[in-house]
Amino acid sequence: MLLRVLLDDSPADFDCSGLLTLGDLLQRTEENVPGRVVTGISADGEELDLAERPDWAGRRLEGLEPLAFQTAALPELVPEILEELQGHFPVLRETLERASEALRSGREGEAMEALGQVVVLWQVCLQVVGDATSALGVQLESVTVGAETLARRVERLRLAATPLEEALRRGDLVLVGDLCAYEMPPLVDQWEEAVQALRTLADPS
């Protein structure tokens, strides 16, 4: 089947033969745009939400032409990605407060749910900061945050989650509550400072 595929408003120059679904085509496109990411896709004039990829990835390609993809270079997306990450910090603070309050009130199930979100958000911070520095082509050691390098700051924050994880494994809920109330919130501030330093580097204006 010969597909009409546009990539950034020009005919795609890669082989689309043997592809059956939108998911197949998106994967093939991603493989052929090194250093770039797909930011938009339309099928038969319908704009698809990339966040809902599982919902439409299995649709067969027949009848969906024209198919068009828009991409952007990773460095171009870094400011937007970092801005989105900064929006998670108020959520992280609120989740820590909710976990602490739930533990004080004996609502362990609610606390554990909130703490699961904290662990996930902490990992997201680590992943996004690492990806952003790679996309910008900078070394963490070359960026300063306060009196330390970003490399040192990120390493400290990575390790800072260890006491919480260990207390959770031991079932020491008193310590978990104390960490959520007193130790973790200042670390969220330090994450925010690190991300702001990267945002300034990505978009000096």
Side-chain angles (χ1 to χ4, degrees):
M1 177 176 61
L2 183 62
L3 292 172
R4 288 184 296 144
V5 180
L6 296 177
L7 180 61
D8 294 327
D9 302 318
S10 299
D13 59 359
F14 53 84
D15 182 16
C16 297
S17 61
L19 303 180
L20 299 176
T21 67
L22 270 173
D24 294 337
L25 181 57
L26 178 55
Q27 182 177 347
R28 180 68 56 84
T29 302
E30 290 170 334
E31 292 169 349
N32 282 273
V33 287
R36 302 180 69 84
V37 294
V38 173
T39 57
I41 176 173
S42 66
D44 193 23
E46 176 190 358
E47 296 292 333
L48 302 178
D49 187 344
L50 287 168
E52 298 176 358
R53 181 172 180 167
D55 295 337
W56 49 256
R59 291 172 60 181
R60 297 186 68 83
L61 293 170
E62 290 91 338
L64 293 181
E65 299 175 81
L67 294 147
F69 293 84
Q70 295 295 323
T71 70
L74 278 171
E76 296 172 8
L77 296 176
V78 168
E80 179 181 345
I81 292 170
L82 292 175
E83 181 179 4
E84 182 177 344
L85 178 60
Q86 281 200 306
H88 287 299
F89 294 127
V91 177
L92 186 50
R93 291 187 183 94
E94 187 275 333
T95 305
L96 284 166
E97 182 178 349
R98 180 156 46 91
S100 177
E101 195 278 330
L103 286 171
R104 288 195 302 270
S105 303
R107 304 193 308 275
E108 294 183 10
E110 181 182 336
M112 291 305 104
E113 180 181 351
L115 287 165
Q117 295 173 4
V118 168
V119 172
V120 168
L121 286 170
W122 211 264
Q123 293 302 318
V124 167
C125 291
L126 288 167
Q127 184 67 48
V128 170
V129 167
D131 290 347
T133 52
S134 296
L136 292 171
V138 299
Q139 298 295 319
L140 291 174
E141 293 82 358
S142 67
V143 182
T144 301
V145 184
E148 62 187 346
T149 67
L150 186 55
R152 173 60 181 156
R153 173 69 60 92
V154 170
E155 179 63 12
R156 278 201 308 102
L157 292 172
R158 183 182 69 81
L159 295 173
T162 302
L164 178 63
E165 293 169 350
E166 290 180 347
L168 283 169
R169 280 195 293 269
R170 295 196 307 269
D172 188 344
L173 298 185
V174 173
L175 178 56
V176 169
D178 287 345
L179 289 170
C180 290
Y182 306 114
E183 300 295 330
M184 302 296 285
L187 298 175
V188 178
D189 296 339
Q190 293 182 30
W191 262 128
E192 198 158 19
E193 291 172 357
V195 172
Q196 184 56 51
L198 273 178
R199 286 189 67 186
T200 300
L201 187 67
D203 186 8
S205 61

